[in-house]
Amino acid sequence: MNILLLGSGGREHALAWKLAQSPSCTKLYAAPGNPGIAEDAELVTLDASDHGAVTHFCATNGVDLVVIGPEAPLVDGLADSLRAKGFAVFGPSQLAAQLEGSKSFTKRLCDRAGIPTARYFEVHNYNEGGKAMTALGTGAPYVIKADGLAAGKGVVIAGYNDEARHTFIDLFGGDGETNTTGAKAVVEEFLEGEEASFFVLTDGETILPFGTAQDHKRVGDGDEGPNTGGMGAYSPAPVLTPELQQRTLEEIIKPTVEAMRAEGMPYSGVLYAGLMLTADGPKLIEYNCRFGDPECQVLMMRFAGDLAAVMMACAKGELAGVKGEFTDDTALTVVMAAEGYPGTPEKGGAIDLGDAEAGGAKVFHAGTAMKDGQLVASGGRVLNVTATGANVTEAQKAAYAAVDAIGFESGFCRRDIGWREVERERDN
Ligand code: AMP
Ligand code: GLY
């Protein structure tokens, strides 16, 4: 089959790398792609927000399957436009993508389907925000989440204080009862526990567990500093024991997929549940309607099946009987970012990949460009240096050996990706 992959980050490089290895993939196009993806796919210039241009490309190039990497085109309804023209798509419809696109949509769905999540109030102005904090009755901290896509920046954890006041004023404008921006937000209780990510593929009916991972959201070692899109990840996440995975499936994923289908918005694609493992069991922090970035990189490093065939089965509603084949290895990825990230990153820094891949590691490109024959940084997260091992300790060693082989003077990375699990492995 001929496949068009949309996106340009490390997640899409990992998908392109696996799709190119798929026995069922004849030809892989990627738009816009990046210099890493160019090794696995033919890059084409296409604007994902121009649905007509994408469907036209698919029609004229005999594309059988479109794989949509990032959330924005999904929330924008690109999958619907393509399906309306008869193309198979890996990724949810606009209505189903609300699971990521709208916090209040997801919280209400959790209410209707009895899914464990943080208790919350929907708020529309400054006064409601303050009242919600009091009404939760938990004491500080509280979590304030803007509705809508925010690239990991829409969440503020604050007390009943100036930070919360400023957050509400930024969100809603004015003060008191007014709302000059049209924004919505939720205020929810702060959940204590360890975070983990759980992935499933679903065609709206069948649910295929598709791996676990743990991300590192803070920019600095020891989980210090501001939130980022993710500075590193590993898979599997042993903290999600088989028992906790089963509970997550029964208590969170199944009720979601069933409610979406029953309400006429069947979910098709990958569903990524961000979980807090609390003393009372797993609770849903958020849903994403796409693979995690950089979690996808570690999942693809371990995936041993025919990705194109699995994605096509998902797109066609034929997931029943399909297996998720993964190796027993642990994969770990370290994000090399450009100085300044998650603020304004320094662009244009030269990169020399050296022999980073000599020991079996894989370097996925996340934000790179070619300039006058030189590979340079062109985004905040630049490279995802990914390796495998028998456990997290071994995978971490291999990944940092590859990091140390790379020349990237204007870049930095965390040196402790996997630390929780490395500590547990040492104690066992
Ligand atoms: P989100 O964009 O919903 O994934 O939130 C970003 C990050 O904020 C999460 O990865 C958590 O670290 C944190 N967070 C979000 N909601 C909560 C919550 N209810 N309790 C504790 N931490 C949270
Ligand atoms: N790494 C977190 C995310 O993709 O949302």
Side-chain angles (χ1 to χ4, degrees):
M1 63 180 98
N2 299 329
I3 301 176
L4 170 65
L5 169 68
L6 297 173
S8 64
R11 167 182 49 213
E12 287 77 26
H13 187 190
L15 292 173
W17 176 69
K18 264 294 147 184
L19 286 170
Q21 293 169 40
S22 276
S24 349
C25 177
T26 318
K27 172 82 191 173
L28 181 62
Y29 298 100
N34 68 33
I37 296 173
E39 291 167 16
D40 299 306
E42 180 181 330
L43 301 194
V44 292
T45 308
L46 272 178
D47 173 2
S49 67
D50 184 347
H51 298 190
V54 179
T55 46
H56 179 76
F57 177 86
C58 293
T60 48
N61 291 279
V63 169
D64 302 294
L65 173 69
V66 182
V67 176
I68 303 178
E71 61 276 19
L74 292 164
V75 170
D76 184 42
L78 179 59
D80 306 77
S81 301
L82 284 159
R83 288 193 181 108
K85 297 278 181 196
F87 297 105
V89 182
F90 181 81
S93 69
Q94 184 165 39
L95 285 174
Q98 289 179 92
L99 282 178
E100 174 163 3
S102 168
K103 303 274 184 203
S104 59
F105 175 87
T106 300
K107 296 303 273 189
R108 289 179 188 191
L109 181 102
C110 288
D111 286 347
R112 293 198 295 282
I115 293 166
T117 187
R119 287 191 304 115
Y120 76 103
F121 290 93
E122 237 180 271
V123 300
H124 307 86
N125 61 45
Y126 177 98
N127 284 351
E128 287 180 6
K131 281 186 200 149
M133 290 184 164
T134 313
L136 279 172
T138 53
Y142 309 93
V143 183
I144 306 167
K145 299 184 174 182
D147 213 54
L149 292 184
K153 289 177 187 151
V155 175
V156 174
I157 295 173
Y160 190 83
N161 58 17
D162 276 348
E163 195 185 357
R165 274 190 285 281
H166 290 306
T167 303
F168 291 134
I169 290 169
D170 281 353
L171 276 168
F172 304 125
D175 54 23
E177 300 294 331
T178 54
N179 178 327
T180 55
T181 62
K184 279 195 292 189
V186 301
V187 172
E188 64 179 39
E189 71 175 316
F190 181 82
L191 298 174
E192 300 273 0
E194 195 168 326
E195 283 186 67
S197 308
F198 187 72
F199 298 86
V200 301
L201 302 191
T202 176
D203 54 12
E205 195 117 4
T206 300
I207 295 168
L208 174 65
F210 212 66
T212 61
Q214 259 182 318
D215 189 11
H216 299 62
K217 292 217 161 124
R218 302 298 185 122
V219 74
D221 283 11
D223 293 330
E224 301 280 341
N227 258 326
T228 69
M231 293 300 292
Y234 55 89
S235 171
V239 68
L240 268 175
T241 59
E243 189 225 328
L244 286 178
Q245 291 186 48
Q246 200 51 38
R247 280 190 70 177
T248 304
L249 274 171
E250 295 297 333
E251 296 170 18
I252 297 177
I253 307 285
K254 273 189 199 164
T256 301
V257 170
E258 279 164 19
M260 294 296 283
R261 187 174 68 235
E263 295 178 18
M265 309 174 261
Y267 190 98
S268 168
V270 57
L271 182 60
Y272 158 1
L275 304 172
M276 190 69 85
L277 306 179
T278 73
D280 301 331
K283 293 195 178 180
L284 181 71
I285 297 178
E286 61 159 359
Y287 271 131
N288 294 308
C289 64
R290 38 130 188 122
F291 280 109
D293 188 347
E295 292 96 319
C296 184
Q297 289 80 316
V298 283
L299 291 179
M300 288 305 119
M301 205 71 177
R302 295 181 48 234
F303 184 71
D306 181 334
L307 185 64
V310 172
M311 285 180 154
M312 187 56 131
C314 185
K316 284 178 148 177
E318 295 169 358
L319 258 191
V322 173
K323 296 251 172 327
E325 298 166 65
F326 289 90
T327 65
D328 291 331
D329 285 348
T330 292
L332 183 142
T333 190
V334 176
V335 172
M336 297 186 81
E339 264 334 319
Y341 180 74
T344 308
E346 186 180 323
K347 290 196 181 170
I351 301 163
D352 174 5
L353 294 179
D355 58 0
E357 295 186 341
K362 177 72 193 167
V363 180
F364 295 114
H365 291 230
T368 67
M370 289 302 288
K371 201 174 167 216
D372 306 325
Q374 168 70 49
L375 188 66
V376 298
S378 67
R381 294 188 293 173
V382 179
L383 301 171
N384 310 136
V385 186
T386 315
T388 55
N391 56 23
V392 178
T393 308
E394 296 298 317
Q396 187 197 54
K397 253 186 228 155
Y400 281 110
V403 165
D404 292 336
I406 292 173
F408 179 24
E409 267 183 34
S410 60
F412 72 97
C413 66
R414 279 181 62 161
R415 297 297 309 189
D416 65 345
I417 299 304
W419 67 269
R420 279 194 182 77
E421 211 49 54
V422 168
E423 276 182 8
R424 284 192 279 254
E425 286 173 357
R426 192 187 309 134
D427 294 342
N428 278 336

